Amino acid sequence: MIKKRAGLSALAVLGATALALTACSSNGSSSNGGDSGSTNASGIVTTNGSEPQNPLIPSNSTETGGGKIVSSIFEGLVSYDAKGKPVNEVAKSITTDDSKTYDIKLNTNYTFTNGEKVTAESFTKAWNWAAQFSNAQGASYFFENIQGYDAEKDSELTGLKVKSDDEFTVTLNSAQSDFPLSLGYSAFMPLPSEFYKDTKAFGENPIGNGPYKLDGDKAWTHNQSIKLVTNKDYEGKRKPKNGGLTITFYTTPDTAYADVQGGNLDVLDAIPDSAFQTYKSDFPDSNVNQAAAIFQAIYLPYYLDHWKGEEGKLRREAISMAINRKQITEKIFDGTRTPAKDFTSPVISGWNGDLKGSDVLDYNKSKAKELWAEADKISPYNETLTISYNADGGHEAWVTAVTNSISSTLGIKAQGNAIPTFQEALDTQKNDKLTGGSRTGWQADYPSLYNFLGPTMGKGSSSNYSRYDSTEYNDLLAKGRSASSVEEGNKYFDQAQELLFQDLPEIPLWYANVTGVWSNDNVTNVKFGWDSVPLYYDIEVKKK
């Protein structure tokens, strides 16, 4: 995932893109929100969302507004359960002998909502189209390991071979043990033949194969809402227990929160900061606050003076130990963030919260001052340390708290540097124009440790803005990807993280939590999925 997802809008920072293992509320109440009573299978669930950035084409819906809709109207080879475990959907089987060539056989009971059967070509043609340079799809890089991919010009994915309507093979450039894990991401969704006749028109009124479909040609009212109804022909594992979804595009989380309180909105996955102290009492039996697959950090780029070589290593350690994560997550976020223990997320299978070297994330004032003094012996630091952030993302309060913690601990000047928009902040990072540090973050695209480690700190990766370059680290990533299994690969990824604790190309801060509420009077059986989105298909609407 490119880092624009992890830039996070103000809504997202306050919980809209947070994830959960289950929907149990933080006070131990039932995820069902009490007695469900009788339910209405044809009832419509109302929830919050945001206007999609792009037309609803799966390979270009890389932000949360569009992603929430695309994942509801399309079905991939696999889906993910609430804990991020992949479950076969269109795929009947995905097999490999070497983690490099995969044979994929399809179930035969999936159709698009126009009646067209989902075949092997529905996938291979869609992936080829998404991978083409000229089509400029935001998720095109997901196909970079498939043979034939070219990031600079149009080129056929020669690694895709159709064997029959119900079987195709994928040959990768190099072994990738977590490839099957990635196949539930939107970039890998199938497309019907109708798509290629007019891609622009399709994006406004897409034809999918998932549990929901658009409620007519005018279902999407831009900047207001989108209406989805159940796909009666859907035979997958996400069979809806309701009649559809109405997703309203709120401009502020406070308005959405007021609507849930008033019974005018069923489910909200974006608690405003103004309600952090009250949402548990406002919704005592229907709230959630748990760790999510979103990692937040700051970094000091290697191209700046004072942040290279041994001096830079000492200063990064000092900065990390100068940050009181526990205090900040309690005071600024009211416990809706969890201090980081690594560079990934606790909701990912294989996560290890006890890695060697992780004590560098502990607040240690005396050690931090000692390390900073050692660095000053190499080259005195007489500058003001700045941490840049996008002003449109709700980061000011925590950046101020972090810089105050650094300043008071190390006795240096430290302050935030507000950049007006996320796009401007991203351009500054991409073009190596930072004059100090910067906030950063990552939201997982699929449930894999590698998805946090490779795209952000691997050599040449598109989101490696610190410009970290470690041969040992890259070798460990390569060994992890080419391992015989995900479990074996995770052992190498753990070793890679232990190296990161020494180098700190990014300084982990905390994991974002899912903070959501729902109306006990309107709905029951609300659970939040690993991807921060409620499992809409499982929600039941109460009869009035």
Side-chain angles (χ1 to χ4, degrees), residues 72 91 120 134 281 284 415 513:
S72 296
S134 61
S281 58
Q415 63 188 37
N513 287 15

Side-chain angles (χ1 to χ4, degrees), residues 25-44:
S25 68
S26 56
N27 61 5
S29 59
S30 167
S31 63
N32 289 343
D35 181 18
S36 64
S38 58
T39 57
N40 177 12
S42 62
I44 302 298

Side-chain angles (χ1 to χ4, degrees), residues 197-259:
K197 297 177 182 179
D198 189 337
T199 58
K200 183 177 180 180
F202 183 94
E204 292 296 315
N205 190 18
I207 298 167
N209 65 318
Y212 296 97
K213 62 181 180 179
L214 269 68
D215 186 15
D217 293 340
K218 297 182 179 179
W220 183 4
T221 304
H222 285 280
N223 299 305
Q224 293 185 31
S225 67
I226 191 166
K227 296 179 179 180
L228 309 180
V229 294
T230 54
N231 174 10
K232 302 299 183 183
D233 296 324
Y234 174 77
E235 296 295 336
K237 297 178 177 63
R238 298 189 295 155
K239 194 75 172 177
K241 297 178 181 178
N242 51 66
L245 309 173
T246 293
I247 303 173
T248 299
F249 307 146
Y250 287 91
T251 55
T252 69
D254 293 278
T255 303
Y257 190 80
D259 274 355

Side-chain angles (χ1 to χ4, degrees), residues 336-519:
T336 61
R337 300 291 184 273
T338 304
K341 294 184 178 181
D342 77 327
F343 297 80
T344 65
S345 165
V347 306
I348 302 300
S349 178
W351 179 79
N352 185 347
D354 191 28
L355 293 170
K356 181 180 179 182
S358 61
D359 56 347
V360 75
L361 305 183
D362 296 337
Y363 179 58
N364 189 330
K365 186 172 183 178
S366 59
K367 183 65 173 178
K369 293 179 70 173
E370 177 186 324
L371 291 167
W372 193 261
E374 286 184 41
D376 275 344
K377 291 178 182 178
I378 298 174
S379 177
Y381 191 90
N382 299 312
E383 303 176 12
T384 297
L385 175 65
T386 59
I387 303 296
S388 294
Y389 64 95
N390 50 304
D392 61 352
H395 302 295
E396 182 178 6
W398 73 256
V399 170
T400 299
V402 166
T403 53
N404 284 346
S405 186
I406 293 170
S407 181
S408 62
T409 299
L410 299 179
I412 64 172
K413 293 181 180 179
Q415 63 188 37
N417 175 45
I419 299 176
T421 68
F422 176 66
Q423 190 58 56
E424 290 175 83
L426 190 62
D427 287 343
T428 300
Q429 295 175 74
K430 283 183 175 180
N431 296 318
D432 294 351
K433 291 184 178 180
L434 287 172
T435 56
S438 174
R439 66 153 298 275
T440 188
W442 192 259
Q443 177 183 353
D445 300 304
Y446 61 96
S448 165
L449 297 181
Y450 175 82
N451 187 241
F452 285 89
L453 304 175
T456 59
M457 289 169 283
K459 181 179 181 180
S461 295
S462 59
S463 294
N464 181 357
Y465 299 132
S466 72
R467 307 312 177 201
Y468 180 56
D469 184 2
S470 166
T471 300
E472 185 179 357
Y473 177 73
N474 292 316
D475 286 347
L476 287 168
L477 291 185
K479 288 178 180 177
R481 289 197 102 188
S482 60
S484 58
S485 67
V486 172
E487 292 74 21
E488 285 298 313
N490 286 343
K491 295 177 182 178
Y492 289 104
F493 298 145
D494 283 352
Q495 292 178 44
Q497 290 200 78
E498 289 176 351
L499 181 63
L500 292 179
F501 285 129
Q502 299 175 41
D503 295 342
L504 291 175
E506 291 185 357
I507 298 174
L509 295 177
W510 41 74
Y511 315 115
N513 287 15
V514 59
T515 50
V517 296
W518 56 93
S519 171

Side-chain angles (χ1 to χ4, degrees), residues 52-185:
Q53 183 182 28
N54 300 304
L56 296 171
I57 297 172
S59 55
N60 210 32
S61 296
T62 58
E63 39 67 55
T64 54
K68 180 182 292 187
I69 300 167
V70 164
S71 64
S72 296
I73 61 179
F74 286 91
E75 190 70 276
L77 293 166
V78 303
S79 63
Y80 304 110
D81 68 12
K83 294 185 178 182
K85 179 181 178 181
V87 179
N88 280 355
E89 289 284 359
V90 182
K92 183 177 182 179
S93 65
I94 303 172
T95 59
T96 182
D97 293 326
D98 57 4
S99 295
K100 184 176 180 180
T101 298
Y102 288 85
D103 185 79
I104 300 173
K105 295 179 180 178
L106 308 182
N107 286 307
T108 60
N109 58 335
Y110 285 85
T111 60
F112 293 102
T113 55
N114 65 352
E116 180 182 331
K117 180 184 175 182
V118 178
T119 66
E121 189 176 72
S122 304
F123 287 96
T124 59
K125 191 172 181 179
W127 296 5
N128 246 313
W129 186 90
Q132 300 309 305
F133 176 79
S134 61
N135 290 328
Q137 296 297 284
S140 63
Y141 70 99
F142 266 88
F143 306 98
E144 64 186 358
N145 197 24
I146 297 178
Q147 286 187 357
Y149 177 85
D150 194 314
E152 298 179 348
K153 62 182 179 181
D154 286 350
S155 179
E156 181 184 0
L157 296 181
T158 55
L160 300 178
K161 302 292 184 184
V162 174
K163 299 181 71 174
S164 70
D165 276 357
D166 305 317
E167 184 177 5
F168 68 101
T169 60
V170 184
T171 303
L172 307 177
N173 292 311
S174 58
Q176 183 180 340
S177 59
D178 71 348
F179 181 69
L181 279 178
S182 70
L183 294 177
Y185 183 57

